[in-house]
């Protein structure tokens, strides 16, 4: 067994060209740690935020937040996993773009036999994000309506299916008619092409002027104002990403003027920080997948050495569904 693993590392922030593939030492897991050999790794916007410096890290640093594979060794105190177990995770610290790695075991989750490694690698970060959006951020009930931006992306296609399985009406937005069709095929009740329509006006039309109960917005700067204007009084604005850039400073008084609105900026990593919560979130996600309520669509695959091309495609919004890297 090799004592090194090919790993994607950045030594400086910048464009995709700063991504380097290096051999890094592995070693044995310490207390609370596991060593996992990856069969597939996931790609997410947070990886781009880290690479560009939007989310600062101490450099040099490995990238990648989610993967799936087989446990090779466990350290003292790890009881929920054993060598040979199939497992998957979306967790800090970053470093999932690798053949294998050591990492804290608390957020590594046993993977049911019925879920393939690529599916799990594409599903963990996005799927557990959808889990907390629908179950842990604001009170949503059957019959409620949500607005979900980027509904044809990796998180969006999971959210469309999740909403339908929970009896929640999801209005999506996307940038092309083809992407809107994809969101509709995955369970969105409506999808608005924001290039050809004013999504705020269309949301008001679709809700008979009332607005939606919640907005789930990972786009950021470009959609923020329109998202607030799409909410009903007492509605919840959930800003959980910055694909178009960070949201500028907000005068909190505007929330009162627009209907006593609520706003939050959650992260997955706060939600999964407790071992028991993380495992419960993963089990709910796995149940949706094995029960065929949620199907994970993987539209792009890249070998690990082509990670820069994968980043370029994601940044250019040329992807649909999920993207995986194969070590």
């Amino acid at each position: 067994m090799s004592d090194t693993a090919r790993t994607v590392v950045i030594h400086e922030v910048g464009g995709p060209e700063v991504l380097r593939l290096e051999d890094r030492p592995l070693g044995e897991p310490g207390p609370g740690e596991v060593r996992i050999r990856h069969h597939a790794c996931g790609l997410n916007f947070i990886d781009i935020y880290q690479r560009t410096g939007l989310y600062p890290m101490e450099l040099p640093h490995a990238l990648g937040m989610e993967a799936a594979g087989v446990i090779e060794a466990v350290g003292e105190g790890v009881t929920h996993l054993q060598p040979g177990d199939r497992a998957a995770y979306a967790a800090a610290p970053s470093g999932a773009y690798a053949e294998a790695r050591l990492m804290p075991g608390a957020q590594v989750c046993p993977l049911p036999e019925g879920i393939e490694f690529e599916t799990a690698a594409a599903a963990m970060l996005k799927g557990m994000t959808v889990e907390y959006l629908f179950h842990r951020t604001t009170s949503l009930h059957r019959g409620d309506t949500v607005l979900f931006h980027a509904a044809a992306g990796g998180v969006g296609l999971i959210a469309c299916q999740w909403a339908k399985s929970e009896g929640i009406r999801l209005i999506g937005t996307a940038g092309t008619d083809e992407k809107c069709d994809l969101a509709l095929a995955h369970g969105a009740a409506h999808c608005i092409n924001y290039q050809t329509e004013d999504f705020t006006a269309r949301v008001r039309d679709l809700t008979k002027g009332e607005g939606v109960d919640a907005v789930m917005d990972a786009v950021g700067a470009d959609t923020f104002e329109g998202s607030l204007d799409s909410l009903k009084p007492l509605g919840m604005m959930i800003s959980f990403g910055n694909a178009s850039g960070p949201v500028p400073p907000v005068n909190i008084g505007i929330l009162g003027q627009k209907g006593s609105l609520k706003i939050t900026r959650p992260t997955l990593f706060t939600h999964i920080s407790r071992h028991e919560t993380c495992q419960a979130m993963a089990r709910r996600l796995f149940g949706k997948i094995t029960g065929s309520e949620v199907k994970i669509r993987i539209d792009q695959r890249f070998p690990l050495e082509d990670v820069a091309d994968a980043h370029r495609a994601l940044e250019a919004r040329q992807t649909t569904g999920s993207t995986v890297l194969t070590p």
Side-chain angles (χ1 to χ4, degrees), residues 89-111:
Y89 66 87
S94 59
Y97 292 177
E99 293 176 319
R101 69 181 295 198
L102 295 177
M103 65 178 299
Q107 281 71 42
V108 181
C109 306
L111 180 64

Side-chain angles (χ1 to χ4, degrees), residues 52 55-56 72 128 178 202 212 227 237 254 256 260 272 280 312:
T52 59
Y55 291 178
E72 290 188 333
M128 291 200 296
E178 291 76 17
R202 182 69 175 132
V212 298
S227 291
M237 170 66 183
I254 203 75
S260 301
I272 65 170
R312 291 186 186 99

